[in-house]
Structure formats: C-alpha cells, structure tokens
Amino acid sequence: MAAERKARRLLSTSSSWRCCPTPLLLFLLPPLLLLLGRPASGAAAVRSGSPPQSAGANVRTFTPFYFLVEPVDTLSVRGSSVILNCSAYSETSPKIEWKKDGTFLNLVSDDRRQLLPDGSLFISSVVHSKHNKPDEGFYQCVATVDNLGTIVSSTAKLTVAGLPRFTSQPEPSSVYAGNSAILNCEVNADLVTFVRWEQNRQPLLLDDRVVKLPSGTLVINNVTEGDGGLYRCIVESGGPPKYSDEAELKVLQGPEEMLNLVFLMRPSSVTRVTGQSAVLPCVASGLPSPVIRWTKNEEVLDTESSERLVLLAGGSLEISDLTEDDAGTYFCIADNGNKTIEAQAELTVQAPPEFLKQPANIYAHESMDIVFECEVIGKPTPTVKWVKNGDVVIPSDYFKIVKEHNLQVLGLVKSDEGFYQCIAENDVGNTQAGAQLIILEHDVAIPTLPPTSLTSATTDHLAPATTGPLPSAPRDVVASLVSTRFIKLTWRTPASDPHGDNLTYSVFYTKEGIARERVENTSQPGEMQVTIQNLMPATVYIFRVMAQNKHGSGESSAPLRVETQPEVQLPGPAPNIRAYAMSPTSITITWETPLSGNGEIQNYKLYYMEKGTDKEQDVDVSSHSYTINGLKKYTEYSFRVVAYNKHGPGVSTQDVVVRTLSDVPSAAPQNLSLEVRNSKSIVIHWQPPSPATQNGQITGYKIRYRKASRKSDVTETLVTGTQLFQLIEGLDRGTEYNFRVAALTVNGTGPATDWLSAETFESDLDETRVPEVPSSLHVRPLVTSIVVSWTPPENQNIVVRGYAIGYGIGSPHAQTIKVDYKQRYYTIENLDPSSHYVITLKAFNNVGEGIPLYESAVTRPHTVPDPTPMMPPVGVQASILSHDTIRITWADNSLPKHQKITDSRYYTIRWKTNIPANTKYKNANATTLSYLVTGLKPNTLYEFSVMVTKGRRSSTWSMTAHGATFELVPTSPPKDVTVVSKEGKPRTIIVNWQPPSEANGKITGYIIYYSTDVNAEIHDWVIEPVVGNRLTHQIQELTLDTPYYFKIQARNSKGMGPMSEAVQFRTPKALGSAGKGSRLPDLGSDYKPPMSGSNSPHGSPTSPLDSNMLLVIIVSVGVITIVVVVIIAVFCTRRTTSHQKKKRAACKSVNGSHKYKGNCKDVKPPDLWIHHERLELKPIDKSPDPNPVMTDTPIPRNSQDITPVDNSMDSNIHQRRNSYRGHESEDSMSTLAGRRGMRPKMMMPFDSQPPQQSVRNTPSTDTMPASSSQTCCTDHQDPEGATSSSYLASSQEEDSGQSLPTAHVRPSHPLKSFAVPAIPPPGPPIYDPALPSTPLLSQQALNHHIHSVKTASIGTLGRSRPPMPVVVPSAPEVQETTRMLEDSESSYEPDELTKEMAHLEGLMKDLNAITTA
C-alpha cells in the first residue's frame, strides 16, 4: 500500500512530469502500472500500448490515456462529507468533469460540491430529505484531452441512508437454560451495519456464543442465567442514536420432561455478489438440545475443516469469499435424538461484469471496415453499450453490433477517429474498457501486420511509399455481374501502365446519396476484378477504382452507377416463436429454423419494441434463443425474428407479445383522505399509484396508523383486492391519529404515503345500556347451511357494536358467532342435513349483550338438487361509436325488472373479428350492463357475446351480436409503386402500384402527383386522379429523356391518406426524328384537362346563390353580349371596302394559312355563332370546394372572345366528364406539359358526382390570335378579352424545342357562322401575358402547308408565360372540317346578315321570356 501511494503521488506531481521528456515518460509508465496494479472496477480500460516498432516516421503513435482511479459505490449518511475518487492519466493534463444521472454537474458555482486537484469529487455536506435528494444517484467521471478525445469512467452509486426505522423490535420472551434465544431487531437495509445491542443498558459483547446476524437479529446459544435481563438495539448513523423498545429475556430452569423440537428461525433465501460473505440463518430449540448440520446436493458440509464455511452460534451457516459454485439449495437439519426437522434456503450468487477480451488499438485508412472486439461475462448476463469520445454509439447502417458485443464500423471517415469504450453493466456492477482508433493518410502504410480487428475486405498491403510517377485511372470499369446482394466489377489497366503486373487496385463504393465510402482491395497484384459482397437489393451504388504502385495511389476512375437486383430466394418466417418473461427486466425469446428459404441460415436478427411506442431495436443472434435484459418492469413488449441466408434477410415472423414480470410498486398510493365517522372509527380513502409505477397487478394495500402522541406504537391493517377504502374502528374518543397507506403486489410492499392526521369525535351514541332486541330475524335453511338475516333494533340511539349468533341442534348455546354491527346476514356453514337447529340473535355493545331473539329451522335433506345454471344475457347489441370503439349493451333476465345489480355477479364480454379462420377471442369483465370495447381496427366486422358469472355459477355465452367499425382515412401510403415505359410509345408511361396495407376502408380512388423537380412544393406538382380501385394508370406525352418523380395518395370515404415516397423515372431518349408521314400522337377530343373540383365548366367557381338567381344572371349576360356583338358586326360590315377584300385575298395567297402574319393589314371576319342547342337550361356543376383556384372569368368583349370560350367550355365539360367516368383510352391520357397549371390543393370528388352524358362540339378551326384582335371601331386593346378569349385547361411547356402535343377534336356537326372584318393593329402582334395552352387542332386539306397557331389561355391564374408556337400536322381527309374552312373563308353579304339579325332578334325574345319567367 505504501508503494502504491508513493506511485500515485509521483503520477499526480505535475512538476516532476514536466521535467521528463516523453521517451522517459513512456519508459517509466509500465513499471508504474505494474506497481499500481489494475483496479477491480475496470480502470485503465482505455489503456494504450506503446507505438509499434516498425512504424514509419509519419505514423502517429497511440496516446496513453486512461483512468488511474475510478469512483466506486458509496454509502453515506445525511450531513456527512463524501469523496468520490477519480484520477486520469495522459501526457497532457486531462480536464476532469462529473456527471450525475447522465447530466454534467456545474461545480463552478456549487458551494457544497467541488472538484479536487486530482479530479475527485468532494461533497462537503450531504443533503437528504424525504422530498429533496440532490446528492443521491449515479456518478460518472469524464476525462477530456483537447485534440485527442474523451473517456468516461465506470458508474458509481452514492446511497444516502435514511432515518432509522424499526420494522420489528425485540419482544419479551422466556427461554430454558441451555436452549437458544433470538431477539429481533430489523431496521432499514442500509442501516444494518450501524446496529448494536445493549443488555441492561450496557454494551453487549459478541463472541462465539452471542452473534448478531446480518439482519440485525441477536442470537444467544446455550443460554445461561447471566443472559437474563433487559435488551434493546441501538442504531447510530451519525445523528442522535435511535433506541428500540426494551424487552426482558427470562431464563428458566430446565424442565424434567422433554420439550418439542422447533425452529426459532428458519433459513431464508439470500442473494450475494461474488467475493462477499453470506449467512444462512437457522436456529432450533428443544430438549434435549438439538445438533445442527447443513447439506447441499445431498452432501453434508464439513464446517470444521473448511476455511470458508463457519457454523455460527445457534446453527447459522456463514460462507465467506463467495464464488458462483456456491450457489444452490442448502438444507438445515436439526436433530436432538428423538426427532429430526429440516428447512431449506436458496443461495443466489451474482457476479459483476468481467472482460474476457478488451478492445485493442487500431490503425486504419479511410473507407476501411474495422471491428472492435469485446467479450464480457457476468451474472446476470451483462448488457453492453459502446461509447465514442464520451457519447453513446447508436447502431445504424455503418455502426453495427455484431456477435452480440463487438462494434463494427463500416466505411471509415476521418471523423470516426477517437477513443472507443466498451461499457458492460448488470444489476451488481459495471466496468469499461476501450481503445484508440487512428486513421492514417492513404499514402502512409499501416505499421506491422494487419490487426485481427481489420476485416478481410480492407486488409492493406501498402509498403512505405517512394517518390515516382503514379498510375493513371483504370479504364473501362464495368459491372460484369449484378445480383441482389453482390456486384462483380472488372476493368482494364491504366493507360500509364498497360501491363500492370505490379499494380494493386482499390474499389471504393457507397450508396447513392451517402457520403460515407467503403473500400474493397484486390487480393493479389495484377488482378483486375473484385466482387463486392453484402449489398442491399434494389439499391443504387456508386463505384470508382484506383490503382496503386510502389509510389502510391493514382487517379480515380469515373464514378460508375449500378443498381442491384431485387431480392429473391429469401428465408421464410421462423416458426414457433415464443417469448417468456424471466424476471421483471428480462425476457427470453425462442424460435426454430425456418421451413422455407434457399440456402443455409447464417444468423438471425431479433427485433423488439415496447408496446405503445414506435422505436424498434434489434440485435444479431446466431442461435435459436436470446435473452434481452434491461427492460421495463411489468411492461408489454413485442418481438419478431428475421432469418438471414446468403441472399440476405428473409420474411419476418408475426409479432409475439409478452409482459415482463411484476415487481414491488415504485410509488405510493395517491389522493389519501380521511373521514371521521364517529368517536370510535375513521374511514380512510385512497387511489392506486400511477400505472407507470405499479410494476404489476395491485393485490392489496397495507394501512398503518398510530396515535399522534405515541408515534412508536404503530398498528397495521391489510386490505386485499382492489378495495380503495377501509373503516378503522376501535379508536379512542377525541384522539388524533396518523394514517399512511402502501400498495402491495405479489412481490411485496411499495413505498408508503406521507402521514395524514384526523381526530375522532368527543361524544357518540348512548352506550350506558345494552342494545334492545333486533327488530326481526329470518332464517332460510339449505342442505348443510342456514342463511340468517335480520334488521337492527328499532331504537337507533343506543350503540350496537355487533351481533352474536348462537345456534345448535335443539339448543342455541352450542356455538356462538359474533359479526360486525353493519352486517345484516350471515350463513352458518358445516351443518348436518335434515337436522333441527335453534338459532338466537343478540345485539351487543361494550356494556353487554341485549335481549335475544329466537328462531328455529330444519336443514334440507341431501336429495335437494343443485341450483340450475344461470341464464345467459339477452338482447346483446353492438353500437358503433367510432372507427375503433363499439359499445356493447345487454339485458339480464335473472335481475329484477329495473335491471339493478345488487349482488356480486359480473359479466364477461368476448369479441373477435368475424373471420372464420380467426378463433382467438379477447375478453374483458364488467359489473354493469354495458361495456365500451376500444382499440379495434377500422372498417372491421366484429362479433360479440356475453356471459354472466355469480359465485361459482356461470351461464353459457349469449347470442352473438355483430358490429363493424367506421372507416378511417388510410394510415399508410400505396406500396410497390413502379413506373415503366409503354412499349412502342416512349412518351407514354404506365404507373403501377398496390393498395395501402392499412386502407382502413374501401379505396375509392387515387391521386398521382408527378413533377420534374422532386424538391418542388407539393402544390406545384401535377396531379392525376384515378377513380375506383384500379392499380394502374397511363400518362401520355411526357418529355423525352427527362427525369420525373411520382407520388401516389390513396383515398376512401373518410379522406386522403399519406403520400408514398417519391419514385424516379427517366423517360427514354428519342429513337429518331419524325420522318415523312409521321405525326405527333393525338390526344383526341376525349383528352381530359387537369381537374379541379372547385371550378365550373366556365372556369369560374359555382356560386352558392340559388339556381333561379344564377340562371337570371347568366341569361342577362348572354343577352347583353349578343346585342353588343350584333351592333358591332353591323357597323363593321358596312365599312368593308373592296380594297380590304383584295388585300385579304393577297395575304391569304402568300401565307397559305388562315392566320394573319407580318404587316398584312387585311382582316378576317370574326366568327360569330350561336349553338341553338346550347340555349337549353343545363344543370350547373356545383363544386364542393369553397376555395377554387380560378375565381373569375371576364365577360367577353367581342366576337373573338366568344368563339374560343364556348369551344373550350364545351371541350372542358366533355373532357372532365370522361375523366370522372374513368375512360382509359389513349385519347384521354394527360401530359405533364398540359398539367403544369393544376394545383393539388383541391379535393377530387371522384365518388360524389353522378355520371354525366358526354357532350362533344367541333370548335372553329379558324382561330385568330385573341390578344391581337380588336374591333374595327375601337382604338384600344382589350387585355381582359385576351385573357378570357380561350378557355383551355392545359398549358404548354416553355421550351420551344420540345415537341408539343395537340388536342384532337372529333367533328360532330358543322357550325354555321358569319364573319365581319376586323382591322388588326399596326406593328407586331401584342400578346396578353396569359398561360400558353394546347391549341385545338386545326384541320385542313392534305395540300395545305403546316402552319403555326398561337392562342392565349387563362390556364391557371397567377402564372403567366408567353404563348408558344405549336406545329400542327395535316389531318388527312377530313371532309367535314374542310367544308367548315371553306365556309369560314367566304364573306357574308348584307342580305345574309339581315337574315341572321332577324334570327337573333327571335332568340332575344325567347331569352327575355325565360328571364321574366
């Protein structure tokens, strides 16, 4: 010890170390460590060895950094001082900090706690009270060296002994001389060491005959007269001593006859830690005096020759320096020659964690894989966690716990460098060991041979580098073989070294999107292939290859992107998985080898999770069973197992749920209250502890009470079951009492509440005379019993303490039973059948018994049949309350008409899903005629039945009632979303998916979101509704060679579920440009624009006005518009000149088109037409969305406004209805470019609108640029008219080089129209900044040239883009459309215009008549 202290002073003297150079320090360190020895708690766990001898000049050495002293568990008392020792060594003086219960202590401003120079923690005065325990807890020392790392010590527990409390005290006793005597004195477990005994108030000397057991009990063997006297025990724990009651021990002279052989103290089970001592108590008494011997495993223990086994006074067995072999069952046998008795006790020996293998220091390069090994034993089995630089390592894809305790780090990066510690702990201790990781530069060779902790995949063969040329990048890196779990890469030699015989190669790879890179090296020089193992299926990896020569590493090849194949041939679920609770904190799980799967099972992964949480943990297991420790007490956990073979993880098992064992409660009951009933009794009420602290099923409560004036005289009362009140009687009048309550489980008693006081009344009912006679007495005979019932005396002013029942055959004085004053009936048991009994009943109080009341009865013969079974409940009904709750109600025919329950019957409700294969019921009990079943699955049909139980009688199950829970919005997204290109149509893709696993109802539709920007706001994504439960959908006319991202959302009647993860798909590249005769794919007249549940067919929201008012407004607007158009048309027609006609004809011949270009001043007559059938009053589509995107549609100002609006309106109605009806023709497919304006903020009413008849219309093909057109009689542009001139629901992409889709319009009937010339403005055409849209197809004869069409569309409000030219191919042989074009080119004469005017006047009259109606 002196040498150790000297060495520690040497280490702690900083000045002496400063004067020594580093080599001298390293030279002195090993002898000092041998001198100090290794602390038992695991100090020096991060101790590093000296640097390798073969390290080059550029190799950093491992730095010595470890603990010299670590804190240990300490017991203290209130007000005393405590020192928790801690000292760490490093070349640079480390910074020492302390943690308490995982939180750093701020010692700068703490008056009581301070840091000593060597790093120890000093607490000057321990503070401890019932509600304030700031010093008690777990402490840990943390040492840090800047630019080096951090290490943590083992954890030490500081326990503060509470105030002395006697749980049992010595009692007066008598003993015959020569026998053994015991005097009990049990106190708090942490104060047993402070107990001593006094005889006649003088200290009692202990010897071989007088022994104090570890519990504090005093045992006196072979008692003599001198042992008689007054005994008491004293607890001295730093404060004033606490004395027990005095008890007198009387020594009697031995009797002449023999005394029976009995145990005064039986052995009790003991749990101890290795290295400690254990005492198994056993004391027997009798005459002749008994001889005690002990056996284990049927072998007699030799206590005389053994150094570790000692027989104490009275016969108790002491075992010192315990080992795990000492555990077992011990038998105490007492024999006095006449009789032999025996008792047994269990000795459990626990062991703190101990390392079989500690982590070793490791040199490594970046991208390598390493393993820190750590083997530990202990009992109970220790749990292991890893700490890096003081922070707990959380398992992930790159930090894994393998072989139960080892830490594997994959793909090292520079930040992984530091100190790693393996910390093992169990119930009786903890320890730590660690190592340092140094990551070298790639041009620095790893010293000596590769450590065993480097995996074979990262074994380095670098030699010390020399100066010279480095190799160039390897060429033609390809993945020659791609599987689900591995990829084989091949390459050619670098151009700088075509032979490459002396080159080695390193393959670096990582998951796409992950910065951490891993490396795999070739096995021999010149080898140009490598197989990368342990990859994940269907995952994208990035590979690059580097060559190395004797001078170092060369250039890296270009990254290669490879995706592994989907998983195949995996193991099935492990059968017969079972879980068993082994203790309050541990569960053992077992299973068998899977029956299916390809390949030998390599290992298993066990997943477990606390019920009610979503944090799942896992552990690797190589066998078919595993025990998980450190769980919460009396808590349900779910477990599942996944088997692994050479292909990877297989199918998971079903979850198995088990609850850990119970323990004593960790908290006191709540809401303690007292109610004074009278001068002699008090009722006490309470509530159970909180569920999280019950640690099991509450089996009862222990009530302790005492007089406030005599606090040492405590009375206990036990309340069994779940009763939450108790009447305490027999109290003194006008006296204050203190009460406290503690909860019980099968494991023991929990903490008690604080004392609560109440005072009894001074006066009460009259008790100066005996009670009067009971007012009535009734008897009901049975076979072997008689039920007696009565009513109390009529005079209620006299105290009744209880009732005395006397009974007997022919006389009531044979037996007497007394019952409580509150009781009104009693059953007399164990009677003879067919016998005549006389029964008497008397009320009594403290004065005496009152006048008796007599009755007689004859018990029934044995032939009386047993009671019939109970009738089952009837009228069982299931009332649906929500998606997970159903209320079950029923009636009980065995109850009175008012259905009031007055007895102890209860009802059992069982339920299960209405699936024939499901035979597993869930049960619950109720004491009322209804029960609320919660925690059900949404949209699931359940069946319920009820059974009634009363005493030992039970009914059969009732008729079954059924109830289906309500639907709930889907709680999981659609799964297995895939996107593929349609064969032969590279611009069309097919999206496939599977329904969500948690649909929670009937799926009524899906919404597909897609965009070219995965980071775009969701309201900027294009949406595509899908009606019904279809699981595939086509999207057409996408841009070639462009990445798209897709998400899918499911919908049922309750709403939308969550979105799936984004799936990327890149459209194919173009196979070639369109040649002769080629044309862009047609979308057709059924092409559906983006839907918006909030937009009416006119592009404006449906007003909430009633239908009559809305009709009046629409008709009025139409009339005014027609009048204005007619006036303008007449005025402009009269101004038409022959010069203008010639100019228009010349312009047509030059352009070959119906569009006006360049400086052509000729005008085209506006197409003014009206559909007669459109004058029918049609239902206006109501939108359920109160916030539509398109909020206004300006009233058209001229004829050019009217024509496109009407056309697009009709097309929009037709397309949207086809979209609702779910038509899946290619003509109804939508494009991304045509949906950029759609906002996904609106709900899609797939299943709320009735199907509508499709209406088709052929628009005018002679469409003019709306924004550049104006009437001949106005001098200003009309931007509103331009904005609203074309209602087309889709917009074009801005890229002019992209092939843009067109809308194919199926002709229905030609439109008769007339035209009025309009003069375009001078200069280039001016366009209103409206969103571009897909123009309607202009159809013309085959000999017409392809021309450009420019349109303006309101599209989506708030977004403006310039119009894009659209190349429209010729439509072959469309005769009807050709006739329309010819009609549109001809000019109307004034006579024809007059006819049209007369026709319009007739229409206006019809409209006026409708309006006035």
Side-chain angles (χ1 to χ4, degrees), residues 838-1033:
V838 179
I839 301 166
T840 180
L841 176 69
K842 295 178 288 186
F844 67 88
N845 56 20
N846 292 335
V847 177
E849 296 179 347
I851 302 173
L853 190 62
Y854 292 91
E855 190 63 76
S856 63
V858 178
T859 53
R860 299 179 182 179
H862 263 305
T863 56
V864 178
D866 293 334
T868 58
M870 301 189 69
M871 295 292 294
V874 297
V876 181
Q877 294 183 353
S879 303
I880 317 302
L881 300 184
S882 68
H883 66 276
D884 65 348
T885 305
I886 295 179
R887 180 182 294 278
I888 308 302
T889 58
W890 60 89
D892 190 346
N893 284 343
S894 61
L895 291 176
K897 291 185 178 180
H898 53 71
Q899 292 286 293
K900 185 176 181 181
I901 301 174
T902 58
D903 50 23
S904 59
R905 72 180 62 198
Y906 65 91
Y907 301 90
T908 302
I909 304 95
R910 71 174 185 180
W911 66 92
K912 73 177 186 69
T913 56
N914 191 24
I915 300 174
N918 181 19
T919 59
K920 185 176 180 181
Y921 284 92
K922 291 187 177 181
N923 297 275
N925 293 335
T927 56
T928 60
L929 296 177
S930 66
Y931 183 75
L932 202 64
V933 182
T934 60
L936 303 178
K937 295 181 180 179
N939 193 41
T940 304
L941 180 63
Y942 287 86
E943 61 179 40
F944 304 87
S945 54
V946 186
M947 178 178 69
V948 61
T949 301
K950 180 181 178 183
R952 297 183 179 179
R953 301 169 58 205
S954 297
S955 71
T956 58
W957 290 104
S958 67
M959 298 288 288
T960 301
H962 293 81
T965 52
F966 293 149
E967 292 188 1
L968 183 67
V969 295
T971 53
S972 65
K975 57 187 179 181
D976 301 338
V977 180
T978 58
V979 184
V980 296
S981 179
K982 187 170 183 179
E983 184 177 358
K985 295 191 177 183
R987 295 174 62 181
T988 300
I989 60 96
I990 300 175
V991 184
N992 302 300
W993 63 91
Q994 292 297 319
S997 57
E998 298 176 3
N1000 298 337
K1002 181 182 179 181
I1003 297 299
T1004 58
Y1006 297 87
I1007 295 182
I1008 303 176
Y1009 296 76
Y1010 61 101
S1011 171
T1012 57
D1013 183 6
V1014 71
N1015 298 319
E1017 293 293 331
I1018 194 62
H1019 58 263
D1020 289 328
W1021 289 52
V1022 181
I1023 65 175
E1024 184 74 17
V1026 179
V1027 181
N1029 56 0
R1030 292 185 297 103
L1031 301 177
T1032 183
H1033 188 69

Side-chain angles (χ1 to χ4, degrees), residues 371-374 386 400-408:
V371 174
F372 284 109
E373 296 182 342
C374 178
W386 284 86
K400 298 183 176 181
I401 305 299
V402 297
K403 295 184 180 178
E404 297 187 2
H405 296 153
N406 297 341
L407 175 65
Q408 183 182 40

